[in-house]
Amino acid sequence: MKVRELAEHYELELGALYDSNEAKALFTIAAEKVLALSSGKLIMQKDIDISFINVQKLLSILNDLQIGKPIQHILEEAHFYGSVFKVNEQVLIPRPETEELVDWIISVCNTQFSVNSFESPKRLNMLDIGTGSGCIPITLKKHLPNTQVATLDVSVDAIEVAKQNARQIGVEINFITADILTFQSEEKFDVIVSNPPYIRDLEKIDMHNNVLVYEPHLALFVSDENPLIFYKAIADFAKTNLKPNGQLFFEINEYLGKETIEMLAAKGFTNIELRQDMQGKDRMVKAGV
């Protein structure tokens, strides 16, 4: 079977779940992994024959895709900010909007805190809340090596995945297994960041089945009655544990930007800034103490 023929087969068989562009993208991701070819080479070599064993591998991936399993879980990896992270059903698949949040933090640290200055680099102390795959704290440590980074999660399984990713990417992170709703510490931080659960139960109806079935609900959902429960707890923690001029960063529910800002203002945060992601959705907030 040729590359072109198998690509067409993917598009046909996945038509009930994904549109044409999504199906093509899924085939490209799978083929890049199995055939060890770049997307550019796949386009240029679409008429080359695929070996029998690789056809079987790609058809096996297709079978998993047809039952709604995310491609990242099938391949057990996800790309994030230039690194490859191990993922499984115990952690959220890293999203592009989270890359935008990380990029914002790196920019602020390089400008406001001058962490990568050659003349007088400052060693920052950072805390990430809600470790998951470790994509946020590990990426921050990788690109801001002159920092001390800790990360916290209630899930022992998620912490274990993140530890594997830290070892693979080659950074040292302080891992804390705890629930932020009850966690206390006397340590002070320059930066606290979190992408906590924020999807309300009422929003489940609009979500793709592969998220509902295969990603951890503990990391996704909050009640309709108290959707900012984690934001409030983290904000209270930050008020006590951020150093003077410290910064709090959140990824937020696109529908709750106004409510999140009002909550932070009521708790005494200053210089609150709301940013939209590349899709124009309210997605990130920065606040100072």
Side-chain angles (χ1 to χ4, degrees):
M1 184 175 283
K2 298 183 184 300
V3 170
R4 172 178 46 79
E5 293 170 332
L6 195 48
E8 292 170 355
H9 185 62
Y10 260 64
E11 189 173 348
L12 176 65
E13 293 298 316
L14 294 175
L17 287 176
Y18 300 99
D19 65 31
S20 176
N21 288 334
E22 288 175 317
K24 288 176 181 176
L26 288 169
F27 172 75
T28 297
I29 294 169
E32 284 180 331
K33 179 68 174 180
V34 172
L35 304 179
L37 293 173
S38 67
S39 57
K41 286 187 176 180
L42 282 172
I43 294 171
M44 292 187 293
Q45 301 182 36
K46 59 185 177 181
D47 288 317
I48 63 170
D49 291 314
I50 305 173
S51 69
F52 175 79
I53 189 169
N54 283 337
V55 168
Q56 296 309 305
K57 289 179 180 178
L58 287 165
L59 289 177
S60 176
I61 292 172
L62 176 60
N63 289 337
D64 283 339
L65 288 170
Q66 286 178 301
I67 63 173
K69 193 170 184 178
I71 186 69
Q72 293 89 345
H73 285 166
I74 298 169
L75 302 181
E76 296 188 332
E77 66 179 33
H79 293 259
F80 184 87
Y81 213 87
S83 297
V84 179
F85 285 80
K86 172 185 171 63
V87 295
N88 58 28
E89 294 179 20
Q90 305 300 326
V91 300
L92 288 183
I93 297 167
R95 264 69 174 183
E97 53 267 29
T98 308
E99 288 184 303
E100 295 182 64
L101 174 66
V102 167
D103 194 65
W104 190 12
I105 297 169
I106 292 172
S107 176
V108 168
C109 288
N110 281 327
T111 54
Q112 177 177 325
F113 294 113
S114 303
V115 295
N116 284 333
S117 168
F118 290 108
E119 296 180 0
S120 56
K122 181 178 179 182
R123 184 171 179 82
L124 298 184
N125 196 16
M126 294 186 177
L127 174 66
D128 165 67
I129 298 171
T131 309
S133 66
C135 64
I136 292 177
I138 291 170
T139 303
L140 289 172
K141 179 64 177 179
K142 178 182 176 181
H143 291 272
L144 300 168
N146 194 44
T147 59
Q148 179 173 305
V149 180
T151 185
L152 177 153
D153 204 296
V154 70
S155 169
V156 174
D157 293 328
I159 289 285
E160 182 54 38
V161 172
K163 285 181 177 179
Q164 292 178 44
N165 283 322
R167 288 193 295 267
Q168 174 182 303
I169 293 170
V171 298
E172 291 189 8
I173 305 289
N174 177 26
F175 291 96
I176 305 166
T177 304
D179 186 344
I180 190 56
L181 297 181
T182 57
F183 179 68
Q184 294 182 339
S185 172
E186 295 182 359
E187 190 170 359
K188 302 296 182 181
F189 301 93
D190 298 282
V191 174
I192 294 175
V193 54
S194 184
N195 176 19
Y198 59 65
I199 300 172
R200 295 168 293 180
D201 288 331
L202 63 86
E203 296 171 50
K204 288 181 180 179
I205 192 172
D206 297 320
M207 298 184 69
H208 200 289
N209 196 54
N210 62 1
V211 175
L212 293 173
V213 174
Y214 291 102
E215 298 206 58
H217 287 205
L218 180 68
L220 286 170
F221 298 110
V222 288
S223 70
D224 297 337
E225 294 74 27
N226 192 9
L228 297 181
I229 179 173
F230 292 102
Y231 292 86
K232 293 173 182 176
I234 293 165
D236 288 338
F237 179 86
K239 282 294 290 184
T240 301
N241 292 81
L242 275 176
K243 297 177 183 178
N245 300 315
Q247 298 290 334
L248 171 63
F249 290 86
F250 279 133
E251 182 174 321
I252 66 168
N253 186 317
E254 63 180 286
Y255 304 113
L256 298 174
K258 178 175 177 289
E259 291 82 352
T260 304
I261 289 173
E262 289 175 348
M263 179 273 294
L264 290 169
K267 291 183 181 294
F269 285 86
T270 60
N271 300 315
I272 302 169
E273 182 179 350
L274 173 67
R275 279 197 178 185
Q276 296 180 325
D277 62 18
M278 287 186 292
Q279 296 181 331
K281 298 177 180 179
D282 291 344
R283 186 62 72 186
M284 296 162 276
V285 168
K286 175 172 73 74
V289 292

